[in-house]
Amino acid sequence: MLLTKAEIEARTITEDGQVFLQKAAQDGLETVWDRYQAQKPQCGFCELGLSCRNCSMGPCRIDPFGEGPQRGVCGADADIIVARNLGRMIAAGAASHSDHGRDLVEVLRKVGEGHAPGYTIRSEEKLKKVAAEFGIAADGKTPADLAVELAHAMEEEFGTRKKALTFLGRVPEKRRAIWDKLGITPRGIDRETSEMMHRTHMGVDNDWQSLLLHGLRNALSDGWGGSFIATEVSDILFGIPQPVPSEVNLGVLKENQVNIVLHGHNPIVSEMIYEAAQDPELLALASEKGAEGINLAGLCCTGNELLMRRGIPMAGNHLMTELALSTGLVDMMIVDYQCIMPALGEIATCYHTLMISTSDKAKFPHMAHHEFHPETAQSKARELVRMAVENYERRLPAKVLPAPNTPTRMMAGFSVEAILGALGGSPAPLIEAIKSGAVQGAVGVVGCNNPKIRQDFGHVTLTRHLIENDILVVDTGCAAVAHAKAGLKVPEAAALAGPGLQQVCKSLGIPPVLHMGSCVDNVRILDLAAALANALGTDISDLPLAAAAPEWYSEKAVSIACYAVASGIFTVLGTPPPIFGSPKIVKLLTEDIEGLLGASFAVEPDPEKAAARIEQHIRQKRKALGL
Ligand code: SF4
Ligand code: MSK
């Protein structure tokens, strides 16, 4: 059934999204927005965090109006149930990021052992730096030897034999002292997740405050552990990102080229596909089939990883993944894991698109499974690119609709190293700009899309307000892609910023919104915040910084938000987390936690109001610093 203009505009602010929502409807597809409508009204108990199915005496639910049951069969009250549910969300998010990190460590080890043809060490500089942090001397060792030693040391981080994770060496002393005092210093990465699952089993930790504290520790094991390892090892294997121009929106899919779309999170597969797509033999085959080249395009965080290092254009963010297929131009979509809707395979059956899953731990209906392993990834990537090229001539002309809008230009690649490089090698110029007030502060605007929010509206509205008020925005994930589509990631966008930020951006030739990568790369923001605090001899919570996730949906985002707050960064969420069934927990997380951590959460669905709250927070922090 066709959608009205009003229905379409309520779903997304993006031009390409609006066109392809109608195309999808014409082709009879059911999209994420349709399925969301069909689910309404969603369960009120679950929205409030008041339902529990942790054991088979249940499922149980607590009546938020106080009329029905106030305890589950085991006796758990609303506070315990909400805290346990939140804890399990954090554990799932931390596990996802950290397992992604572990997969990269495995490749690092196999590269060192000579068992991963096609992969290499692209940044010996970072390999040596990180090895030194782990106490491994580089003298007289080959990069291969060092890679094996570092991989073994990192594997230890996942276990239980440590008092504190190694990357905590980058955390300001004052912050470490806070964590020690609260007993939330993360030990082993897997240990904290495993302990959370244990604590939330029936009859273990039944103190909601103790559960929440462990939630913070679990999230810190992600931020300063699993995700940190994922980002650093990706840089070692695939290179440290540097500023790179690119393009975004569905217009990056080319009518006259073989289009391969890469979706998911881990660059292990997509980097090999990138190499294979340069193969002269496969390019010649594409030409034989009538295509003018092999065009790679990214979706979600795998796309962001390739964009940051290779400048590969982005087709879109989370809510565009189904609509990308409706162009009829995707010859192959290759997925790894996380944020890949199980609906995608079935949608692709309406077109000629070949859908390929690649991870032993992520299989999907209606997708062909081609498992990637470091030993065979190079040949597997060539096989898949060949299949995509051969599929080009099977396009169904009646189903093809190229995007009517031209791709929007953008700039990405702002790793911490690239930002410090642009500043002349040290954070001092940024600190000076903050002291002078040219830059009032910095905010990480991160996270997903969610069909409960008009696509990209939350991100773009919030960010426009912030830069207008001289607040530098750094971003990752789907938020970064939203900003890019809105044209905020080109140096000319400095004209949209306040006078101080505009001046700084113009003198450095950078946009006012800096792309720092994928979701695991939120640790680049932590790393930069810690570097600024260390340079000033203070704590992260003293700095005029904030974070926001206006359209978050995933459990990973819950873990990210928790490690941001635990690291001292005030964090505003656009969609409410399932905690409102416990007024005590809401009060702790939005008010009382400030006294413990120097940072708190806020929930504000209206992005203009969220901007006002963040601006007020930044003013307060500046005042406290005497600025
Ligand atoms: Fe019900 Fe308690 Fe079992 Fe949860 S753990 S399902 S509240 S009995
Ligand atoms: S988590 S930011 S939906 S990809 Fe990377 Fe997934 Fe996007 Fe959230």
Side-chain angles (χ1 to χ4, degrees), residues 172-229:
E173 296 262 326
K174 288 182 182 174
R175 186 68 15 200
R176 291 285 308 271
I178 290 172
W179 295 346
D180 284 343
K181 192 168 161 219
L182 289 173
I184 59 169
T185 298
R187 301 155 297 180
I189 296 167
D190 288 346
R191 176 177 187 171
E192 308 308 356
T193 294
S194 181
E195 186 172 315
M196 178 55 88
M197 297 310 287
H198 178 195
R199 282 178 185 240
T200 52
H201 187 281
M202 203 301 276
V204 185
D205 196 352
N206 287 292
D207 177 317
W208 58 273
Q209 286 154 312
S210 157
L211 279 163
L212 294 180
L213 279 175
H214 186 72
L216 296 175
R217 186 182 227 177
N218 194 176
L220 287 170
S221 79
D222 170 4
W224 293 95
S227 283
F228 223 104
I229 285 178

Side-chain angles (χ1 to χ4, degrees), residues 235-259:
D235 283 359
I236 292 169
L237 290 172
F238 308 121
I240 301 171
Q242 293 298 326
V244 61
S246 191
E247 295 181 322
V248 64
N249 75 35
L250 290 181
V252 306
L253 300 174
K254 304 273 184 269
E255 250 187 302
N256 54 0
Q257 294 195 28
V258 176
N259 292 307

Side-chain angles (χ1 to χ4, degrees), residues 332-347:
M332 178 178 280
M333 183 182 280
I334 302 175
V335 307
D336 48 89
Y337 44 53
Q338 300 170 13
C339 301
I340 296 145
M341 289 190 237
L344 282 174
E346 189 170 353
I347 285 182

Side-chain angles (χ1 to χ4, degrees), residues 52-60 72-76 81 84 202:
C52 181
R53 49 176 182 76
N54 286 10
C55 84
S56 87
M57 292 191 287
C60 305
V73 176
C74 67
I81 290 177
R84 283 198 308 217
M202 203 301 276

Side-chain angles (χ1 to χ4, degrees), residues 1 6-7 77 125 192 262 298 345 374 433 466 488 518 529 553 560 566 599 602 626:
M1 203 169 61
E7 281 170 328
D77 62 13
E125 174 199 347
E192 308 308 356
L262 298 144
L466 295 176
L488 302 177
S518 64
Y553 91 89
I560 293 167

Side-chain angles (χ1 to χ4, degrees), residues 160 197 226 311-312 398:
T160 60
M197 297 310 287
I312 292 297

